[in-house]
Amino acid sequence: MCGEWQVIPGYGHAVLRVTDPRYVCQREFALKWLPNDPLFKLVSDLYRVVPDILGSIGKIKNPWPNVDAHSGVLLQVSLTICCVQYCCHTLSLSLLNVFVSAFIVYVVLTVVVMV
């Protein structure tokens, strides 16, 4: 909460008084697999800056990020991967249909020529 006691999504936790372990897990995954992703870099910058700002307010019990501070980055990347996989699958089916159709034409022409 900040200023007028408004909640800041992605920061604080009702029970925890440390960084949310789920956030830490997601961060470690992103550090390994998405180190150059622009959204991950933004979340990392916020991780370095926001807790000190929230802590300086003084009335905040937990200025550390929770799982919501990071999950959007992974969801966005996952959605992108799913879309790419879907497009590749659709394209491969289209190419398969072309090859099957060409094979059928070849077989029919071969049979016609033999007759």
Side-chain angles (χ1 to χ4, degrees):
M1 300 175 87
C2 186
E4 295 288 322
W5 297 109
Q6 297 171 343
V7 173
I8 299 175
Y11 285 84
H13 193 278
V15 177
L16 297 174
R17 297 295 175 249
V18 295
T19 301
D20 189 330
R22 299 168 298 171
Y23 173 91
V24 173
C25 181
Q26 290 180 355
R27 180 170 171 75
E28 289 172 359
F29 178 87
L31 282 168
K32 181 175 182 178
W33 298 103
L34 309 168
N36 298 316
D37 182 80
L39 286 178
F40 172 63
K41 287 181 179 183
L42 176 62
V43 169
S44 290
D45 290 343
L46 291 172
Y47 178 66
R48 285 189 287 273
V49 174
V50 171
D52 290 336
I53 294 170
L54 294 178
S56 70
I57 293 172
K59 294 186 178 185
I60 296 172
K61 295 178 182 176
N62 177 10
W64 301 105
N66 61 42
V67 69
D68 297 329
H70 209 296
S71 58
V73 171
L74 298 181
L75 289 173
Q76 184 267 339
V77 170
S78 298
L79 181 60
T80 302
I81 291 170
C82 288
C83 288
V84 168
Q85 287 177 335
Y86 175 78
C87 290
C88 289
H89 176 71
T90 302
L91 178 62
S92 66
L93 286 179
S94 298
L95 290 174
L96 180 63
N97 287 338
V98 169
F99 289 127
V100 168
S101 298
F103 180 74
I104 291 171
V105 168
Y106 170 78
V107 169
V108 168
L109 288 175
T110 304
V111 169
V112 168
V113 169
M114 295 177 105
V115 173

